[in-house]
Amino acid sequence: MSIKYKLGNYRSKLRSAGCNEVSINRKRGGDGASAVKEAKRGEVNYMPDHPKGQSDDSLEEERLILVEEMKKKTKNEVLINQKMSLTFSLRGKEIVEVVPMVSEVLERWPAVFLPNELCDEFKRITSVDLLKTFRASIHQHTPQLLKLYRARKGAFGTEMEDLLNKLDQQTTNIVTHRKQTVLEGLPIFLREDSSALFKTCLDKTPEDRQTRGMKVGILIIIEDDATPTTLPSVTKFAVVLEEVIVLKDAPDLQSALAYLFGLLFALDFEDPKQLKYTFEVIEKGDGHSLFC
């Protein structure tokens, strides 16, 4: 109890001093309702204070410079990274307090959706290397998960069996296809709707039809000229939030899922309820593991 009161007094002092991270977690409203922004698992820096000497107005000027740089055909990546790092506190405050739509964030902070900048943003929030950790974990768990899928495929109907049969027909890039099968099979194994996370569509399908009804998910875009006797060829993977393609041309499914996971943190996005266990498996760990 002594420690509890000591920490409570410490938080009160921080709140009085204007510490954003503490202020955002206080109870607000006359009815006593709690408007608490809870950190995700492993999130260690979600509401930082502004850098010394900076204010909302000065950081807004830096944001405008960043937006103008993003409009150029030849972008200065060093400048973009510097401005993204400098405006991190303003971006976090806006996302947590205002809760903007994804389309608004895309307009005001377009650099967040660049793969390299997204990885840097995730590291600012969690101190974890997004792609390196994600890929290493998938590489580690792929053999065991495939064994589980094959051992219990009869319990999941034809969906899991079809997925494994498609893997057995592959003759090239076997390692990549094994990892893709593990990811596509995870919601099936956890008895959730895999179509809520992964959607396959033809490359010539209009974009608005591709993303219709997708709040959080990944598009697997395939060629539409494949013959009935051949497996369709994937042309690209894309990340979708709120029916908007926010990141295109991911090289493989594991990268696309890592980027999606990173955006959920960067945009303070809630995990989809119909995929609760899938995202829990990805997130669960000691705060330093994305897939365990």
Side-chain angles (χ1 to χ4, degrees), residues 14-289:
L14 289 175
R15 190 177 297 116
S16 299
C19 178
N20 289 326
E21 188 168 340
V22 177
S23 298
I24 199 65
N25 280 297
R26 71 183 186 274
K27 289 187 176 181
R28 288 176 281 188
D31 57 356
S34 178
V36 176
K37 192 282 180 189
E38 295 183 358
K40 291 178 179 287
R41 189 186 300 272
E43 195 171 3
V44 297
N45 193 26
Y46 69 88
M47 194 64 177
D49 295 320
H50 291 333
K52 187 176 181 180
Q54 297 289 347
S55 64
D56 285 358
D57 293 337
S58 63
L59 291 177
E60 176 64 15
E61 293 177 4
E62 299 292 344
R63 185 194 70 79
L64 294 174
I65 295 172
L66 180 60
V67 171
E68 289 301 315
E69 186 63 33
M70 284 294 297
K71 294 178 181 178
K72 298 178 181 178
K73 289 185 177 180
T74 304
K75 299 175 180 59
N76 186 334
E77 295 182 4
V78 175
L79 176 63
I80 289 174
N81 187 262
Q82 290 174 347
K83 298 300 183 184
M84 284 291 288
S85 180
L86 180 62
T87 57
F88 176 52
S89 57
L90 177 65
R91 189 162 53 255
K93 180 179 179 182
E94 180 179 312
I95 288 172
V96 171
E97 293 185 345
V98 180
V99 193
M101 298 288 288
V102 170
S103 57
E104 296 174 18
V105 181
L106 192 60
E107 181 180 349
R108 288 181 55 80
W109 301 99
V112 172
F113 303 92
L114 297 176
N116 289 340
E117 290 303 325
L118 175 58
C119 292
D120 288 342
E121 187 83 347
F122 187 81
K123 194 164 188 177
R124 294 184 192 108
I125 297 170
T126 66
S127 301
V128 173
D129 188 311
L130 178 62
L131 282 181
K132 182 179 179 181
T133 306
F134 200 84
R135 287 172 175 167
S137 298
I138 292 175
H139 180 77
Q140 176 185 352
H141 295 288
T142 289
Q144 295 93 329
L145 284 172
L146 279 178
K147 287 180 181 178
L148 277 175
Y149 293 177
R150 293 189 185 278
R152 299 190 58 194
K153 66 180 180 179
F156 304 103
T158 59
E159 196 172 4
M160 181 67 81
E161 188 172 353
D162 291 344
L163 187 63
L164 293 172
N165 287 339
K166 186 171 68 172
L167 172 62
D168 293 336
Q169 295 175 44
Q170 300 293 343
T171 57
T172 59
N173 299 324
I174 301 301
V175 174
T176 299
H177 287 299
R178 282 165 58 87
K179 292 175 181 178
Q180 181 170 330
T181 299
V182 162
L183 293 174
E184 289 188 73
L186 186 59
I188 301 173
F189 186 79
L190 296 171
R191 299 187 183 279
E192 293 181 325
D193 184 8
S194 63
S195 65
L197 180 58
F198 303 114
K199 181 179 179 180
T200 302
C201 59
L202 300 176
D203 55 0
K204 293 183 180 179
T205 303
E207 188 172 302
D208 60 334
R209 288 180 55 193
Q210 292 177 344
T211 61
R212 188 175 299 164
M214 293 189 73
K215 182 180 179 182
V216 175
I218 294 173
L219 285 178
I220 303 174
I221 303 173
I222 61 175
E223 294 179 349
D224 61 355
D225 57 354
T227 64
T229 58
T230 61
L231 291 173
S233 176
V234 177
T235 59
K236 60 182 177 180
F237 299 89
V239 178
V240 178
L241 290 175
E242 293 180 353
E243 298 189 355
V244 177
I245 295 180
V246 294
L247 197 149
K248 300 180 179 179
D249 301 327
D252 48 47
L253 186 60
Q254 60 178 323
S255 297
L257 188 56
Y259 293 144
L260 172 62
F261 192 77
L263 283 168
L264 295 182
F265 274 71
L267 305 183
D268 191 34
F269 220 78
E270 290 186 3
D271 296 341
K273 293 181 179 179
Q274 67 269 39
L275 295 165
K276 172 185 175 182
Y277 298 113
T278 299
F279 279 85
E280 185 176 341
V281 166
I282 296 174
E283 290 184 37
K284 194 174 182 181
D286 57 1
H288 298 283
S289 177

